[in-house]
Structures are given as structure tokens and as C-alpha cells.
Amino acid sequence: MRRDTFLKSLAALAAAGALPLSAQAANAVKMMLPANPGGGWDTTGRALGRALQDAGVASSVTYDNKGGAAGAIGLAQFVNSSKGDPNALMVMGAVMLGGIITGKPPVNLTQATPIARLTSEYNVFVLPANSPFKTMGEVVAQLKKDPGSVKWGGGSRGSTEHIAAAMIAREAGVDPAKINYVAFRGGGEAIAAILGGNVTIGGGGYSEMAEYINTKKMVPVAVTSGQRLKGSSVPTLKEQGINVEIGNWRGVYAAPGISAEQRNALIAMVDKALKSKSWAESMEKNDWTPAWMAGDEFGTFVDTEFASLRATMVKAGMV
């Protein structure tokens, strides 16, 4: 076979995803981050991008931050502009499911392609350093007295911290519809509001808040896990007599309309990235828990989570 004919055949096989990953040229990946800079999805997506390059499966990674509506704005852009693109990825998670349930946007995750669940994490509730309150119990007492006076800060409507706040209210005998929840377009905005004392109490992923907790710029008062987090002295809500437990997780989806071979190639790329030194460093730095699940299994998990989350939100009076 002539050399040019061989190279053309090789290129065709690579484009079809028929070559083993090691024989394919590294891809130029386009990463949709459906949130503003500074939050959990932004951190996760950029960590994954570095890991894809570190693992040698991406030649470059470009990022597009598109915050708002619990990720629905970014999801809409991703679904409408990346059809059939085998190099497009989008970070998502439990927050997006809640946003879809509350916001009822015209797009849905079923229009994109599930690739893998990456991490799981629990949320922490924190007070500004100069808060007159010292414990979650004091916040709940004020909530019972005057629900509107307690300003909760966190991610978009339907985020895990929003759902947790509604569940806390319900457990305290307060109508969840009366809570004063201030939704921000990304973790960075929520953190700024907490640091500035513009909210009474804030919530978010523990990894997002850890830096400010460690430097005493925020006071942690509760975590949403069933048991205390490893190495942390922050009490759970359940320890404080509030029967609420809710977790968070993050994953990655691919574009609509890609082939089964292209999806499998992306799963293999992400799997390889998660075994890189770069990803291990990000996991340790952010205190993420590994939660690998891929392909159809991940798609089924998302469907089940959506139904479960909707039932929880109906019970909490959010929908």
C-alpha cells in the first residue's frame, strides 16, 4: 500500500473511532461550563481539561462559561450548537437536574449524550465571619420567628443548597415557599455575597468553601452528609436534630447525535484522564470523592436521580 493511501485510511479509521485510543491523534476538546467562573462546575471542568491534556488524549481544551438558570442556558447552547461534534463536552451535575425541574426550560438532558459521573460531594452551610449567629440552631430559631429575615445564599434555583434550605424549613415547621432564597449564577458570586455579609447564611460544595473556612472568613455550621466528613469537625444537620441529608455529584455529557463509537472513544478519553497525575492532584486539593460511572449506567442513574429529586422537591413544596 502506498504511504499516502495508508495515511488516508488511518485518518478515516481514527475519525470513525475505530482505532485504539493510543493510535488516534489527540483531540482539540471544547468544554462547556454552564456556570460563571469560580464555582464547582467551573473548577471541575478546568480540572478535567488539564487531566485530558496531561493524559495525552487532548491536544488542547477551550472553555466556554455560560452561567444562569442552574445550567439550563449553557445546556441550551450546548445542545443547539454542538450536534454531532465528537470533541464537545459539557460539565453538569445534580444542580442541573434541580434547575430543570423548577425552571422547566425548553431543553433537556435527554437531548445530549451521557458520558460519565466523575465526583460526589456534600454541601456545607456557612455564616459570614461577622454574623450575629453562631450555630445552625440559632439560624433555625430566627427562621421560625421570621422566615423572610433569614436570607439564604447559594447557586441557582433548584441547586442542592436551595433544596436543602427548603427541606430545613419544612423540618422546622416553616412553609418552604416563605424562605428568602437568593440565587446566584455561580459559586464565585455566592462566595462574594457570603464574604460581604450580604446574606445571612450561604451554602455550597465543601471544596468551594474550604479555603474560606480554613482562613476563618466563613464559619461552618452544618454539612448535608449523613455522617461528619472525614477530617472535619463540622456537625451534620442530623446531629443537630434536623432530619435532612442531600448529596451532590458532578459528571460530563457529550453532544447530541454522536455515534456509539464516538461516545465510547470519549468515555475512554475521560477514563484515561481520571487516571492521570493531574486529576489525582485535583481530587486531593478539592477533597472530591471519586464516583466513576459511565455510559448507559450513568444515563440510567441520571434518570433515576431526576425522578427521586423531583419527588423530594414536591415534598419540600418547591414544585
Side-chain angles (χ1 to χ4, degrees):
M1 183 184 291
R2 286 175 50 190
R3 185 174 182 275
D4 59 343
T5 304
F6 171 75
L7 290 175
K8 286 178 182 177
S9 300
L10 197 65
L13 287 168
L19 285 175
L21 201 62
S22 59
Q24 296 182 35
N27 300 317
V29 173
K30 289 165 277 187
M31 187 88 68
M32 165 58 72
L33 307 174
N36 286 355
W41 286 347
D42 182 68
T43 303
T44 302
R46 291 176 190 275
L48 177 60
R50 288 191 298 273
L52 287 166
Q53 290 179 283
D54 186 41
V57 292
S59 58
S60 64
V61 182
T62 54
Y63 305 95
D64 186 4
N65 285 89
K66 194 66 65 175
I73 293 174
L75 172 62
Q77 179 174 312
F78 184 73
V79 165
N80 293 325
S81 67
S82 67
K83 289 177 183 174
D85 186 344
N87 297 320
L89 291 172
M90 178 190 72
V91 176
M92 50 72 70
V95 172
M96 186 175 281
L97 305 191
I100 289 170
I101 292 166
T102 57
K104 301 180 178 67
V107 291
N108 206 297
L109 273 168
T110 56
Q111 294 169 261
T113 306
I115 295 298
R117 187 180 67 183
L118 308 176
T119 64
S120 66
E121 185 179 30
Y122 286 100
N123 284 356
V124 61
F125 280 106
V126 296
L127 303 173
N130 61 353
S131 172
F133 303 112
K134 302 301 177 191
T135 66
M136 177 60 84
E138 292 179 8
V139 174
V140 170
Q142 181 62 30
L143 181 70
K144 289 179 179 179
K145 193 184 302 181
D146 181 5
S149 68
V150 176
K151 191 183 287 187
W152 303 79
S156 303
R157 284 185 56 79
S159 63
T160 47
E161 54 267 29
H162 184 195
I163 297 166
M167 293 170 74
I168 290 167
R170 186 175 179 276
E171 285 293 313
V174 174
D175 181 356
K178 291 183 178 178
I179 66 170
N180 183 3
Y181 185 82
V182 182
F184 294 95
R185 289 165 65 91
E189 291 182 12
I191 287 169
I194 298 165
L195 292 173
N198 298 319
V199 295
T200 309
I201 183 169
Y206 199 97
S207 63
E208 294 174 61
M209 307 295 188
E211 173 189 344
Y212 308 100
I213 292 171
N214 294 338
T215 55
K216 314 247 183 245
K217 292 178 181 177
M218 295 179 183
V219 180
V221 291
V223 288
T224 62
S225 52
Q227 298 178 332
R228 290 194 184 194
L229 301 179
K230 185 178 178 181
S232 171
S233 60
V234 183
T236 66
L237 287 165
K238 287 187 171 182
E239 280 182 74
Q240 301 175 72
I242 305 166
N243 188 28
V244 171
E245 178 182 347
I246 184 169
N248 196 0
W249 54 265
R250 298 188 184 110
V252 65
Y253 265 58
I258 62 172
S259 68
E261 290 81 9
Q262 289 169 334
R263 183 184 73 155
N264 290 338
L266 283 170
I267 291 171
M269 280 175 60
V270 173
D271 184 32
K272 191 169 182 179
L274 266 57
K275 293 171 182 172
S276 70
K277 180 182 177 183
S278 172
W279 184 255
E281 289 170 349
S282 294
M283 290 289 288
E284 183 176 357
K285 177 184 176 183
N286 295 293
D287 199 26
W288 291 332
T289 300
W292 175 259
M293 183 185 287
D296 290 339
E297 184 184 10
F298 176 49
T300 301
F301 165 80
V302 172
D303 291 342
T304 303
E305 278 284 289
F306 188 88
S308 174
L309 198 57
R310 192 178 193 289
T312 297
M313 292 168 77
V314 167
K315 189 176 179 182
M318 295 179 67
V319 291

